[in-house]
Amino acid sequence: MKYKTFNNDNTMPQLGLGVFRVENDDTAKNAVKHAIESGYRSIDAALVYGNEEMVGRGIQEGIEAAGITREDLFITSKLWLDDFGRDNVAKGYETSLKNLGLDYLDLYLIHWPGTDNDLMIDTWKGMEDLYNAGKVKNIGVSNFNVEHLETLKAHSEIQPVINQVEFHPYFTQEPLRNYLKEEGIQMESWSPLMNAEILSDQTVNDIANEIDKSPAQVVIRWNIDNGVITIPKSVTPSRIEENLDVFDFSLTPEQMDKISSLNQNKRIGPNPAEFNG
Ligand SMILES: NC(=O)c1ccc[n+]([C@@H]2O[C@H](COP(=O)([O-])OP(=O)(O)OC[C@H]3O[C@@H](n4cnc5c(N)ncnc54)[C@H](OP(=O)(O)O)[C@@H]3O)[C@@H](O)[C@H]2O)c1
């Protein structure tokens, strides 16, 4: 496993498991448990996914099965728009902790910026409060564009360690990536497999055949070689293992360029400038 270092010197595994669109039942529990047993150390949860309870059960069972401790894991969850406002952040955080059966998170993110900048800034102050009180190890944001980040920077004391955004070969977000690099904020990709759509791309399949890897492994490795933290989702045990098995090869500069040039500025999710829940 590779780790990335934040602007506060804390670290995060570069690859983790996503759990969006997974039922709050044994599917979630078994996927998380299997991931941890297979060697995953990072899980990307969110209150709004509605499955924190069973994700939490999977974490506990995974810890036991893998013979590791809670401290070996890096657990993320996210504040939903319903809990915006400085005074509500702690409530959102405590709810996620209770759901997950944990007493701290490694990373807490503002899930979306919303469309009210004053409220977003006020909410970030609540995130800073949590961090300053030592209740959470790291705070960051998700779905922030450059304008959101500039607004935040002008009105806050602590910079986010990370921005989790849509990123895949059809949506490479070059300007945002460059900005994050300059600002020392890590980029994390959501829907790295474009919710499986990218796996049928011809160029990705040609490269996969060339190097005898699967299309998913090629796209995940393209994230890794781009320095991006990534969280592919799967509930299928063999795919969970396959997606982690990307550390014994790398892509050539030519293969990297070929994949990056697939960009079409094509989103599959909402535009953060407009989305309000
Ligand atoms: N911050 C945000 O606003 C935001 C938004 C979206 C997502 N996210 C996070 O990002 C994570 C990943 O994104 P995502 O869930 O949208 O989609 P994704 O990871 O891009 O794709 C998941 C899909 O790909 C399939 N898949 C996974 N590995 C595969 C493989 N090796 N071969 C073939 N198919 C494979 C999965 O199927 P099976 O599960 O059936 O195996 C599932 O249908 C989420 O789970 C969530 O944690 C965050």
Side-chain angles (χ1 to χ4, degrees):
M1 178 59 66
K2 284 193 172 193
Y3 283 74
K4 296 294 283 184
T5 303
F6 292 148
N7 53 24
N8 62 5
D9 289 335
N10 290 337
T11 61
M12 175 176 182
Q14 203 177 345
L15 180 60
L17 181 78
V19 295
F20 183 33
R21 299 187 204 93
V22 181
E23 289 298 315
N24 191 33
D25 60 16
D26 279 355
T27 320
K29 187 188 74 174
N30 292 337
V32 170
K33 180 184 176 190
H34 188 74
I36 295 171
E37 273 188 289
S38 306
Y40 284 72
R41 293 294 175 260
S42 165
I43 307 292
D44 182 76
L47 181 83
V48 80
Y49 300 163
N51 57 14
E52 284 180 318
E53 291 91 349
M54 294 309 277
V55 167
R57 292 265 295 276
I59 290 170
Q60 297 312 331
E61 291 191 14
I63 285 173
E64 281 162 35
I68 58 170
T69 64
R70 161 69 183 96
E71 289 69 37
D72 295 320
L73 295 179
F74 189 101
I75 310 297
T76 301
S77 193
K78 313 186 192 87
L79 178 86
W80 190 242
L81 291 143
D82 293 347
D83 291 320
F84 265 33
R86 185 172 190 166
D87 296 339
N88 296 325
V89 172
K91 177 170 67 84
Y93 185 69
E94 295 300 331
T95 304
S96 282
L97 286 185
K98 189 164 173 257
N99 289 342
L100 287 159
L102 299 175
D103 52 17
Y104 71 93
L105 289 181
D106 296 278
L107 177 62
Y108 198 44
L109 303 178
I110 294 186
H111 204 146
W112 288 87
T115 49
D116 177 341
N117 274 350
D118 290 337
L119 185 55
M120 179 264 281
I121 292 162
D122 191 56
T123 303
W124 183 252
K125 292 192 188 314
M127 300 287 281
E128 291 180 330
D129 292 343
L130 275 186
Y131 182 74
N132 286 331
K135 291 188 174 167
V136 63
K137 303 275 185 201
N138 302 285
I139 50 173
V141 295
S142 178
N143 298 304
F144 276 43
N145 60 29
V146 171
E147 291 72 31
H148 294 123
L149 291 162
E150 282 288 286
T151 306
L152 198 64
K153 188 172 153 186
H155 295 94
S156 59
E157 284 169 18
I158 303 170
Q159 288 303 291
V161 296
I162 202 166
N163 186 20
Q164 183 186 115
V165 295
E166 180 175 348
F167 174 78
H168 44 69
Y170 291 172
F171 191 53
T172 56
Q173 303 238 45
E174 284 300 324
L176 178 62
R177 280 184 64 209
N178 291 335
Y179 175 85
L180 293 173
K181 252 182 223 156
E182 279 164 25
E183 295 295 316
I185 299 170
Q186 292 292 343
M187 179 155 153
E188 181 175 21
S189 60
W190 63 250
S191 293
L193 307 178
M194 215 184 163
N195 199 19
E197 190 180 329
I198 200 68
L199 305 180
S200 49
D201 178 89
Q202 193 55 53
T203 302
V204 170
N205 278 272
D206 289 347
I207 293 172
N209 289 335
E210 231 168 82
I211 62 176
D212 202 18
K213 298 286 170 187
S214 73
Q217 287 172 322
V218 167
V219 174
I220 293 166
R221 188 66 216 194
W222 174 79
N223 275 260
I224 301 290
D225 287 344
N226 268 312
V228 171
I229 296 170
T230 190
I231 43 169
K233 170 260 175 187
S234 179
V235 295
T236 312
S238 59
R239 290 175 176 172
I240 290 172
E241 291 167 31
E242 175 187 319
N243 295 349
L244 182 69
D245 188 14
V246 294
F247 293 104
D248 64 347
F249 73 104
S250 58
L251 298 169
T252 64
E254 198 198 3
Q255 289 164 339
M256 290 293 290
D257 286 348
K258 267 192 194 164
I259 301 171
S260 300
S261 68
L262 295 172
N263 182 43
Q264 306 170 8
N265 293 324
K266 183 178 174 186
R267 291 181 190 278
I268 57 168
N271 183 343
E274 294 157 6
F275 184 74
N276 208 21

